[in-house]
Amino acid sequence: MNILVLNCGSSSIKYKLYNMDDESVLAQGGVERIGIDGSFIKVKLANGENKIIERALPTHKEGVALVFECLLDKEIGAIKSLDEIDAVGHRIVQGGDLFEKSCLVTKEVEDGIESLCDLAPVHNAGHLKGLRAVDALMPTTPQVTVFDNAFHSTMPDYAYLYAVPYENYEKYHVRRYGFHGTSHRYVSKRAIEYLNLDANNSKIITCHIGNGASVGAVVNGKIMDTSMGLTPLAGVMMGSRCGDIDPSAVTYLMDKLGKKPQEMADYLNKESGLLGISGVSSDMRDVFNAAQEGNERAKLAIKMYTYRIKKYIGAYAAAMGGVDAIIFTAGVGENQADIRFLSTEGLEFLGVKVDAEKNQTIHGDEAVISTADSKVKVAVIPTDEEIVIARDTKALVEGKEIKD
């Protein structure tokens, strides 16, 4: 069975085509700048090189069509006919409390996703465009939606509710949903296998640390708590997102800066975090290089960033009554050894001991980075959200139950 996985953003489409017989990747790439001048597709070739094709792409329909064109291309493609694609799986950021599991796409599912656009206007709107583009181009091909927050549906009410009048939850669904769920799901399950933990008696803290970042508390394979909230803005400090902030600071700044609600949301999402503190970049690599060159604000940004990750690790260890493993994943977590070290430094009282030398050698590889006598295992596990989507898609198309 061949399954195409699509991750559609407001102006982009990332894709991977899998042969699910052995879960090999047949093709992958991404479309950028849909609806914007200079749109293009970048296709990763078999030899590891990238081929860029520029094309005017006014909507997602043209973007998806270009993905199909590249998949069928005699030189850079992987299939001879679209009939070779048995199903399409989509990442959906916000499923609210309507969708707690992956599901086959129906008109009712599309309507449900659309009804949640207020909670994730940019993301959900982009996902819908991708769904409908595939439907227009391949109307008989089954599609599956895999929701970013579904893994977090096991959070207890005392963890996901905000301490505001309860009717706001009942009427407007205001609560913490959490995101990066597919990643937390993958790495927590892989951690149990890789570290030989007891799936029915384990306490794992998963740190998805990239340009967007979140921390999860996973008890016996189920999420107990996670750092993001109603939107991906909450939690730890990120590339350009502020993370946790006093709501009164928001209204105070709105008044001082003369910003309207959406302008303030953009300010906190796109101009804050590492970028806002360092004044250098939202990319940790750039900030780290600047810090090494003596930039004091870059140094401060790194201290703030790692301090907040450490606080969440400590909080979740307390909430779970202990911790067996701490897992780092995503772009920064997998590749930035110094960030991993600083985020766990001082946690020896919890039984955490990182092997500083081993840690420095790990860049994107699966590895244990704690010392042999560390009571808590610390490991790097590269995430693979696409394979989770592909597996769920395969199971649902075959009429099987989703297995966590």
Side-chain angles (χ1 to χ4, degrees):
M1 177 182 286
N2 291 339
I3 290 177
L4 177 64
V5 173
L6 294 180
N7 181 353
C8 297
S10 59
S11 61
S12 66
I13 304 169
K14 296 178 184 178
Y15 71 91
K16 276 189 180 181
L17 179 65
Y18 287 93
N19 175 351
M20 293 306 290
D21 293 339
D22 58 3
E23 296 189 346
S24 58
V25 177
L26 302 177
Q28 62 182 303
V31 180
E32 300 288 343
R33 300 180 64 84
I34 297 172
I36 305 170
D37 290 344
S39 50
F40 64 92
I41 188 171
K42 181 190 291 185
V43 181
K44 187 172 182 178
L45 304 178
N47 62 6
E49 296 179 358
N50 294 313
K51 181 178 179 64
I52 294 176
I53 301 171
E54 296 181 352
R55 180 82 59 85
L57 302 169
T59 72
H60 281 68
K61 184 176 180 179
E62 288 81 10
V64 171
L66 182 55
V67 170
F68 291 161
E69 180 184 319
C70 290
L71 289 173
L72 294 167
D73 187 273
K74 290 182 179 180
E75 293 184 7
I76 64 173
I79 54 176
K80 295 179 180 179
S81 167
L82 292 181
D83 292 337
E84 294 179 44
I85 299 175
D86 299 291
V88 180
H90 297 262
R91 174 209 177 203
I92 308 292
V93 163
Q94 181 58 276
D97 46 17
L98 293 180
F99 304 102
E100 294 186 349
K101 289 185 177 180
S102 304
C103 57
L104 285 162
V105 174
T106 63
K107 178 64 166 57
E108 291 72 25
V109 169
E110 283 193 26
D111 290 344
I113 294 169
E114 189 164 25
S115 74
L116 295 165
C117 277
D118 282 350
L119 295 178
V122 174
H123 291 95
N124 272 32
H127 301 323
L128 276 171
K129 290 174 183 176
L131 281 169
R132 289 165 177 165
V134 173
D135 191 47
L137 296 163
M138 299 173 64
T140 62
T141 303
Q143 298 188 75
V144 166
T145 50
V146 179
F147 297 93
D148 229 19
N149 61 307
F151 185 59
H152 302 307
S153 64
T154 56
M155 276 193 292
D157 53 6
Y158 58 81
Y160 68 67
L161 284 172
Y162 291 115
V164 297
Y166 192 78
E167 56 264 28
N168 290 305
Y169 168 61
E170 296 177 303
K171 292 180 180 179
Y172 308 117
H173 309 286
V174 174
R175 53 161 285 183
R176 294 177 58 248
Y177 289 106
F179 300 91
H180 298 140
T182 310
S183 176
H184 288 287
R185 176 181 163 194
Y186 175 83
V187 297
S188 59
K189 181 180 179 181
R190 177 58 189 150
I192 289 171
E193 298 168 349
Y194 182 57
L195 301 175
N196 197 29
L197 302 176
D198 183 348
N200 298 312
N201 185 25
S202 59
K203 299 170 181 177
I204 301 170
I205 296 174
T206 48
C207 303
H208 178 107
I209 310 298
N211 192 268
S214 61
V215 182
V218 186
V219 179
N220 303 335
K222 305 290 184 183
I223 275 282
M224 176 183 177
D225 206 346
T226 190
S227 59
M228 284 181 166
L230 175 74
T231 75
L233 183 60
V236 296
M237 180 176 164
M238 306 174 219
S240 62
R241 296 179 186 139
C242 64
D244 293 335
I245 185 172
D246 181 347
S248 292
V250 177
T251 55
Y252 178 82
L253 284 172
M254 286 176 69
D255 180 59
K256 294 297 182 183
L257 300 174
K259 292 186 179 294
K260 297 177 181 179
Q262 188 54 55
E263 292 173 334
M264 193 63 198
D266 290 341
Y267 187 70
L268 297 176
N269 274 286
K270 300 177 181 179
E271 300 180 46
S272 303
L274 287 173
L275 173 63
I277 296 298
S278 72
V280 173
S281 173
S282 62
D283 191 306
M284 177 57 79
R285 292 166 293 190
D286 297 335
V287 176
F288 195 81
N289 289 337
Q292 288 187 313
E293 293 170 0
N295 186 310
E296 293 301 323
R297 280 176 52 186
K299 292 179 183 178
L300 174 62
I302 292 170
K303 288 180 181 178
M304 291 173 64
Y305 188 92
T306 54
Y307 176 70
R308 282 154 174 75
I309 295 171
K310 187 187 303 183
K311 282 207 300 183
Y312 266 98
I313 291 173
Y316 286 164
M320 295 190 297
V323 57
D324 298 311
I326 299 169
I327 309 300
F328 286 93
T329 193
V332 175
E334 292 171 23
N335 295 288
Q336 296 285 112
D338 293 281
I339 300 304
R340 296 191 297 257
F341 182 81
L342 292 170
S343 297
T344 51
E345 186 180 28
L347 295 179
E348 288 80 10
F349 73 98
L350 284 178
V352 176
K353 293 183 182 179
V354 170
D355 184 327
E357 292 185 8
K358 175 70 176 295
N359 178 48
Q360 285 294 332
T361 67
I362 304 304
H363 303 283
D365 299 316
E366 194 172 68
V368 174
I369 58 171
S370 48
T371 60
D373 63 340
S374 179
K375 294 180 180 179
V376 177
K377 295 289 186 183
V378 184
V380 177
I381 296 180
T383 192
D384 194 341
E385 296 168 275
E386 289 83 7
I387 194 58
V388 174
I389 296 171
R391 288 169 180 168
D392 279 10
T393 300
K394 181 177 186 289
L396 287 169
V397 168
E398 293 178 340
K400 297 178 182 177
E401 289 282 333
I402 298 294
K403 296 181 180 180
D404 290 332

